[in-house]
């Protein structure tokens, strides 16, 4: 962000206790390595399941960015966040919403139904929680929140070239890749990319 936002965030971090959580042991280890407690005594990281938050009236703000679409049932998450907040606290969350990456999902679904790949996806179900504001607002109110703003913001993701598109798929679509033997990952990514580009060809600059 700009200098003003950076200064505000820095001041908040210095003034209060900040706890970061993640369900991945590896990510918690990485965070602790980059932000050691002896240098950041008010900052800590804990391995936690977002659906089982252990906090009670401990925080003024809960913030989440590009995380909760990995969780299907948001009811327990929202109730846990509400419990974690002090009276008058605020929550700001951002995540993939309804229709997110719909054209990529269309291409992947086509590949999953082909004979070569079909066996790997037996009983596979859509792994992301992409919801609309109409679906989400009742869950917020049921958890106890007063909803100030709730929006679905369409935004195109632009990849500079095919290589970047494949890199994004490789690092983001893990629930699909983990169904396929690792030695076949690149072949799967190649065929998904070819299928996607057949429906959505690059622009004049080669961007996807």
């Amino acid at each position: 962000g700009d200098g003003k936002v950076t200064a505000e965030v820095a001041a908040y971090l210095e003034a209060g206790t900040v706890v970061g959580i993640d369900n991945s042991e590896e990510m918690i280890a990485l965070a602790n390595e980059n932000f050691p407690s002896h240098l950041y005594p008010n900052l800590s990281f804990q391995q936690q399941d977002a659906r089982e938050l252990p906090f009670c009236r401990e925080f003024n703000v809960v913030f989440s960015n590009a995380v909760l679409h990995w969780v299907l049932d948001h009811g327990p998450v929202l109730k846990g966040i509400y419990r974690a907040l002090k009276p008058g606290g605020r929550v700001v969350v951002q995540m993939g919403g309804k229709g997110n990456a719909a054209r990529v999902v269309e291409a992947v679904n086509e590949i999953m139904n082909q004979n070569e790949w079909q066996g790997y996806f037996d009983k596979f179900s859509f792994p992301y929680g992409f919801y609309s504001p109409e679906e989400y607002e009742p869950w917020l109110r049921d958890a106890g929140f007063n909803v100030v703003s709730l929006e679905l913001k369409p935004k195109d993701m632009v990849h500079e070239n095919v290589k970047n598109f494949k890199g994004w798929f490789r690092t983001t679509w893990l629930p699909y890749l983990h169904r396929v033997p690792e030695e076949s990952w690149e072949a799967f990514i190649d065929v998904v990319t070819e299928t996607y580009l057949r429906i959505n060809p690059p622009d004049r600059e080669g961007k996807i």
Side-chain angles (χ1 to χ4, degrees):
D2 57 31
K4 180 176 182 292
V5 172
T6 301
E8 288 177 353
V9 171
Y12 179 77
L13 290 175
E14 291 174 1
T17 298
V18 180
V19 178
I21 71 163
D22 197 287
N23 200 33
S24 165
E25 182 179 353
E26 292 80 7
M27 291 303 293
I28 294 298
L30 180 63
N32 281 319
E33 180 181 335
N34 289 330
F35 300 93
S37 58
H38 68 279
L39 294 178
Y40 302 90
N42 66 323
L43 177 60
S44 64
F45 300 95
Q46 301 178 16
Q47 185 179 1
Q48 298 284 351
D49 187 325
R51 299 166 296 181
E52 300 176 358
L53 297 177
F55 311 107
C56 183
R57 295 195 171 195
E58 296 184 43
F59 304 102
N60 296 311
V61 176
V62 171
F63 172 75
S64 174
N65 180 63
V67 171
L68 294 185
H69 53 257
W70 293 93
V71 180
L72 294 180
D73 183 3
H74 288 203
V77 179
L78 296 173
K79 290 176 181 178
I81 291 174
Y82 188 86
R83 285 193 306 270
L85 287 167
K86 296 177 181 179
R90 296 174 296 160
V91 56
V92 179
V93 298
Q94 177 273 342
M95 72 201 82
K98 188 169 186 177
N100 190 48
R103 293 178 180 179
V104 180
V105 172
E106 181 182 350
V108 175
N109 285 343
E110 180 178 329
I111 301 305
M112 288 167 51
N113 289 318
Q114 293 178 359
N115 289 337
E116 181 180 356
W117 305 102
Q118 195 172 31
Y120 298 123
F121 293 95
D122 184 43
K123 298 180 181 178
F124 180 82
S125 58
F126 189 69
Y128 303 114
F130 293 151
Y131 302 112
S132 68
E134 292 75 21
E135 292 171 298
Y136 216 83
E137 185 167 6
W139 301 340
L140 288 166
R141 297 198 182 281
D142 184 56
F145 288 108
N146 173 39
V147 181
V148 175
S149 176
L150 179 62
E151 300 176 75
L152 181 65
K153 295 185 177 182
K155 180 181 179 181
D156 286 337
M157 175 179 284
V158 180
H159 300 280
E160 290 297 319
N161 49 49
V162 172
K163 179 181 177 181
N164 287 9
F165 178 87
K166 289 183 177 181
W168 168 72
F169 192 93
R170 185 180 297 107
T171 56
T172 306
W173 294 70
L174 299 177
Y176 293 86
L177 284 178
H178 287 167
R179 282 296 191 109
V180 176
E182 189 170 354
E183 61 270 19
S184 299
W185 282 12
E186 295 307 316
F188 183 73
I189 293 170
D190 286 345
V191 72
V192 168
T193 302
E194 292 167 6
T195 303
Y196 180 81
L197 293 180
R198 189 180 70 242
I199 305 170
N200 309 278
D203 66 12
R204 295 177 181 177
E205 299 176 355
K207 295 180 179 179
I208 299 170

mmCIF file of all heavy atoms in Angstrom, residues 156-176:
data_model
loop_
_atom_site.group_PDB
_atom_site.id
_atom_site.type_symbol
_atom_site.label_atom_id
_atom_site.label_comp_id
_atom_site.label_asym_id
_atom_site.label_seq_id
_atom_site.Cartn_x
_atom_site.Cartn_y
_atom_site.Cartn_z
ATOM 1 N N ASP A 156 -10.892 -9.527 -13.589
ATOM 2 C CA ASP A 156 -10.176 -10.447 -14.477
ATOM 3 C C ASP A 156 -8.763 -10.659 -13.982
ATOM 4 O O ASP A 156 -8.068 -9.711 -13.616
ATOM 5 C CB ASP A 156 -10.122 -9.881 -15.900
ATOM 6 C CG ASP A 156 -11.463 -9.968 -16.610
ATOM 7 O OD1 ASP A 156 -12.272 -10.824 -16.210
ATOM 8 O OD2 ASP A 156 -11.695 -9.188 -17.541
ATOM 9 N N MET A 157 -8.335 -11.912 -13.964
ATOM 10 C CA MET A 157 -6.937 -12.228 -13.698
ATOM 11 C C MET A 157 -6.238 -12.354 -15.043
ATOM 12 O O MET A 157 -6.688 -13.117 -15.907
ATOM 13 C CB MET A 157 -6.815 -13.530 -12.914
ATOM 14 C CG MET A 157 -5.376 -13.986 -12.715
ATOM 15 S SD MET A 157 -5.244 -15.511 -11.750
ATOM 16 C CE MET A 157 -5.557 -14.876 -10.104
ATOM 17 N N VAL A 158 -5.180 -11.611 -15.228
ATOM 18 C CA VAL A 158 -4.458 -11.616 -16.498
ATOM 19 C C VAL A 158 -3.080 -12.241 -16.299
ATOM 20 O O VAL A 158 -2.304 -11.800 -15.442
ATOM 21 C CB VAL A 158 -4.304 -10.184 -17.060
ATOM 22 C CG1 VAL A 158 -3.539 -10.223 -18.381
ATOM 23 C CG2 VAL A 158 -5.678 -9.541 -17.257
ATOM 24 N N HIS A 159 -2.780 -13.266 -17.094
ATOM 25 C CA HIS A 159 -1.465 -13.901 -17.079
ATOM 26 C C HIS A 159 -0.694 -13.429 -18.307
ATOM 27 O O HIS A 159 -1.236 -13.394 -19.410
ATOM 28 C CB HIS A 159 -1.605 -15.424 -17.086
ATOM 29 C CG HIS A 159 -2.353 -15.950 -15.897
ATOM 30 N ND1 HIS A 159 -1.769 -16.109 -14.663
ATOM 31 C CD2 HIS A 159 -3.653 -16.329 -15.751
ATOM 32 C CE1 HIS A 159 -2.663 -16.582 -13.809
ATOM 33 N NE2 HIS A 159 -3.809 -16.716 -14.443
ATOM 34 N N GLU A 160 0.566 -13.087 -18.118
ATOM 35 C CA GLU A 160 1.361 -12.503 -19.193
ATOM 36 C C GLU A 160 1.593 -13.474 -20.351
ATOM 37 O O GLU A 160 1.743 -13.053 -21.496
ATOM 38 C CB GLU A 160 2.709 -12.028 -18.646
ATOM 39 C CG GLU A 160 2.608 -10.810 -17.742
ATOM 40 C CD GLU A 160 2.083 -9.586 -18.472
ATOM 41 O OE1 GLU A 160 2.496 -9.370 -19.639
ATOM 42 O OE2 GLU A 160 1.252 -8.866 -17.891
ATOM 43 N N ASN A 161 1.607 -14.758 -20.051
ATOM 44 C CA ASN A 161 1.895 -15.747 -21.091
ATOM 45 C C ASN A 161 1.463 -17.129 -20.614
ATOM 46 O O ASN A 161 0.985 -17.288 -19.477
ATOM 47 C CB ASN A 161 3.386 -15.746 -21.459
ATOM 48 C CG ASN A 161 4.274 -15.799 -20.217
ATOM 49 O OD1 ASN A 161 4.065 -16.633 -19.338
ATOM 50 N ND2 ASN A 161 5.251 -14.901 -20.144
ATOM 51 N N VAL A 162 1.649 -18.122 -21.463
ATOM 52 C CA VAL A 162 1.244 -19.487 -21.141
ATOM 53 C C VAL A 162 2.024 -20.020 -19.950
ATOM 54 O O VAL A 162 1.467 -20.692 -19.074
ATOM 55 C CB VAL A 162 1.427 -20.406 -22.369
ATOM 56 C CG1 VAL A 162 1.193 -21.869 -21.986
ATOM 57 C CG2 VAL A 162 0.477 -20.004 -23.483
ATOM 58 N N LYS A 163 3.311 -19.712 -19.896
ATOM 59 C CA LYS A 163 4.139 -20.176 -18.782
ATOM 60 C C LYS A 163 3.590 -19.697 -17.449
ATOM 61 O O LYS A 163 3.514 -20.463 -16.479
ATOM 62 C CB LYS A 163 5.578 -19.687 -18.963
ATOM 63 C CG LYS A 163 6.510 -20.106 -17.844
ATOM 64 C CD LYS A 163 7.913 -19.567 -18.068
ATOM 65 C CE LYS A 163 8.832 -19.937 -16.910
ATOM 66 N NZ LYS A 163 10.202 -19.386 -17.110
ATOM 67 N N ASN A 164 3.182 -18.442 -17.379
ATOM 68 C CA ASN A 164 2.642 -17.896 -16.134
ATOM 69 C C ASN A 164 1.297 -18.523 -15.782
ATOM 70 O O ASN A 164 1.003 -18.762 -14.616
ATOM 71 C CB ASN A 164 2.496 -16.382 -16.250
ATOM 72 C CG ASN A 164 3.827 -15.663 -16.201
ATOM 73 O OD1 ASN A 164 4.878 -16.294 -16.245
ATOM 74 N ND2 ASN A 164 3.793 -14.346 -16.127
ATOM 75 N N PHE A 165 0.490 -18.781 -16.800
ATOM 76 C CA PHE A 165 -0.795 -19.449 -16.553
ATOM 77 C C PHE A 165 -0.568 -20.826 -15.948
ATOM 78 O O PHE A 165 -1.211 -21.205 -14.965
ATOM 79 C CB PHE A 165 -1.588 -19.564 -17.858
ATOM 80 C CG PHE A 165 -2.903 -20.281 -17.708
ATOM 81 C CD1 PHE A 165 -4.046 -19.592 -17.333
ATOM 82 C CD2 PHE A 165 -2.995 -21.648 -17.929
ATOM 83 C CE1 PHE A 165 -5.265 -20.250 -17.194
ATOM 84 C CE2 PHE A 165 -4.200 -22.324 -17.780
ATOM 85 C CZ PHE A 165 -5.330 -21.619 -17.418
ATOM 86 N N LYS A 166 0.373 -21.563 -16.507
ATOM 87 C CA LYS A 166 0.669 -22.905 -15.989
ATOM 88 C C LYS A 166 1.224 -22.832 -14.569
ATOM 89 O O LYS A 166 0.897 -23.662 -13.723
ATOM 90 C CB LYS A 166 1.664 -23.615 -16.909
ATOM 91 C CG LYS A 166 1.084 -24.031 -18.243
ATOM 92 C CD LYS A 166 2.117 -24.795 -19.072
ATOM 93 C CE LYS A 166 1.513 -25.279 -20.380
ATOM 94 N NZ LYS A 166 2.502 -26.042 -21.188
ATOM 95 N N GLY A 167 2.061 -21.834 -14.301
ATOM 96 C CA GLY A 167 2.607 -21.667 -12.952
ATOM 97 C C GLY A 167 1.527 -21.387 -11.935
ATOM 98 O O GLY A 167 1.556 -21.916 -10.810
ATOM 99 N N TRP A 168 0.551 -20.556 -12.320
ATOM 100 C CA TRP A 168 -0.577 -20.261 -11.434
ATOM 101 C C TRP A 168 -1.394 -21.516 -11.169
ATOM 102 O O TRP A 168 -1.749 -21.810 -10.020
ATOM 103 C CB TRP A 168 -1.455 -19.182 -12.071
ATOM 104 C CG TRP A 168 -2.772 -18.986 -11.412
ATOM 105 C CD1 TRP A 168 -3.015 -18.408 -10.203
ATOM 106 C CD2 TRP A 168 -4.049 -19.363 -11.942
ATOM 107 N NE1 TRP A 168 -4.372 -18.400 -9.930
ATOM 108 C CE2 TRP A 168 -5.021 -18.980 -10.978
ATOM 109 C CE3 TRP A 168 -4.462 -19.972 -13.121
ATOM 110 C CZ2 TRP A 168 -6.380 -19.197 -11.182
ATOM 111 C CZ3 TRP A 168 -5.818 -20.185 -13.323
ATOM 112 C CH2 TRP A 168 -6.759 -19.804 -12.354
ATOM 113 N N PHE A 169 -1.655 -22.292 -12.208
ATOM 114 C CA PHE A 169 -2.432 -23.517 -12.017
ATOM 115 C C PHE A 169 -1.669 -24.493 -11.126
ATOM 116 O O PHE A 169 -2.247 -25.117 -10.239
ATOM 117 C CB PHE A 169 -2.741 -24.168 -13.372
ATOM 118 C CG PHE A 169 -3.756 -25.261 -13.283
ATOM 119 C CD1 PHE A 169 -5.096 -24.999 -13.479
ATOM 120 C CD2 PHE A 169 -3.380 -26.570 -12.987
ATOM 121 C CE1 PHE A 169 -6.055 -26.007 -13.378
ATOM 122 C CE2 PHE A 169 -4.308 -27.574 -12.891
ATOM 123 C CZ PHE A 169 -5.654 -27.296 -13.080
ATOM 124 N N ARG A 170 -0.376 -24.597 -11.336
ATOM 125 C CA ARG A 170 0.460 -25.545 -10.590
ATOM 126 C C ARG A 170 0.473 -25.246 -9.090
ATOM 127 O O ARG A 170 0.530 -26.153 -8.267
ATOM 128 C CB ARG A 170 1.889 -25.524 -11.132
ATOM 129 C CG ARG A 170 2.832 -26.555 -10.525
ATOM 130 C CD ARG A 170 4.214 -26.451 -11.143
ATOM 131 N NE ARG A 170 4.205 -26.737 -12.578
ATOM 132 C CZ ARG A 170 4.349 -25.811 -13.528
ATOM 133 N NH1 ARG A 170 4.537 -24.538 -13.195
ATOM 134 N NH2 ARG A 170 4.320 -26.153 -14.800
ATOM 135 N N THR A 171 0.423 -23.967 -8.724
ATOM 136 C CA THR A 171 0.534 -23.592 -7.312
ATOM 137 C C THR A 171 -0.807 -23.345 -6.642
ATOM 138 O O THR A 171 -0.854 -23.218 -5.413
ATOM 139 C CB THR A 171 1.395 -22.319 -7.174
ATOM 140 O OG1 THR A 171 0.827 -21.265 -7.975
ATOM 141 C CG2 THR A 171 2.822 -22.589 -7.624
ATOM 142 N N THR A 172 -1.880 -23.286 -7.410
ATOM 143 C CA THR A 172 -3.180 -22.916 -6.845
ATOM 144 C C THR A 172 -4.199 -24.054 -6.863
ATOM 145 O O THR A 172 -5.014 -24.174 -5.954
ATOM 146 C CB THR A 172 -3.764 -21.705 -7.607
ATOM 147 O OG1 THR A 172 -2.802 -20.650 -7.618
ATOM 148 C CG2 THR A 172 -5.042 -21.207 -6.954
ATOM 149 N N TRP A 173 -4.138 -24.904 -7.854
ATOM 150 C CA TRP A 173 -5.175 -25.923 -8.038
ATOM 151 C C TRP A 173 -4.730 -27.275 -7.480
ATOM 152 O O TRP A 173 -4.884 -28.327 -8.098
ATOM 153 C CB TRP A 173 -5.539 -26.001 -9.522
ATOM 154 C CG TRP A 173 -6.184 -24.730 -9.987
ATOM 155 C CD1 TRP A 173 -5.574 -23.516 -10.147
ATOM 156 C CD2 TRP A 173 -7.564 -24.525 -10.299
ATOM 157 N NE1 TRP A 173 -6.489 -22.570 -10.546
ATOM 158 C CE2 TRP A 173 -7.721 -23.163 -10.651
ATOM 159 C CE3 TRP A 173 -8.669 -25.365 -10.328
ATOM 160 C CZ2 TRP A 173 -8.946 -22.629 -11.008
ATOM 161 C CZ3 TRP A 173 -9.896 -24.826 -10.697
ATOM 162 C CH2 TRP A 173 -10.023 -23.467 -11.033
ATOM 163 N N LEU A 174 -4.206 -27.228 -6.278
ATOM 164 C CA LEU A 174 -3.637 -28.429 -5.658
ATOM 165 C C LEU A 174 -4.653 -29.541 -5.408
ATOM 166 O O LEU A 174 -4.299 -30.723 -5.519
ATOM 167 C CB LEU A 174 -2.927 -28.050 -4.358
ATOM 168 C CG LEU A 174 -1.751 -27.071 -4.525
ATOM 169 C CD1 LEU A 174 -1.167 -26.707 -3.173
ATOM 170 C CD2 LEU A 174 -0.691 -27.661 -5.434
ATOM 171 N N PRO A 175 -5.913 -29.236 -5.031
ATOM 172 C CA PRO A 175 -6.853 -30.341 -4.826
ATOM 173 C C PRO A 175 -7.033 -31.216 -6.067
ATOM 174 O O PRO A 175 -7.310 -32.411 -5.955
ATOM 175 C CB PRO A 175 -8.161 -29.624 -4.468
ATOM 176 C CG PRO A 175 -7.722 -28.322 -3.882
ATOM 177 C CD PRO A 175 -6.518 -27.931 -4.684
ATOM 178 N N TYR A 176 -6.841 -30.629 -7.250
ATOM 179 C CA TYR A 176 -6.931 -31.397 -8.486
ATOM 180 C C TYR A 176 -5.620 -32.127 -8.762
ATOM 181 O O TYR A 176 -5.617 -33.326 -9.072
ATOM 182 C CB TYR A 176 -7.275 -30.470 -9.656
ATOM 183 C CG TYR A 176 -8.651 -29.873 -9.566
ATOM 184 C CD1 TYR A 176 -8.883 -28.705 -8.847
ATOM 185 C CD2 TYR A 176 -9.740 -30.481 -10.191
ATOM 186 C CE1 TYR A 176 -10.148 -28.154 -8.754
ATOM 187 C CE2 TYR A 176 -11.019 -29.943 -10.108
ATOM 188 C CZ TYR A 176 -11.212 -28.778 -9.386
ATOM 189 O OH TYR A 176 -12.473 -28.246 -9.283
#
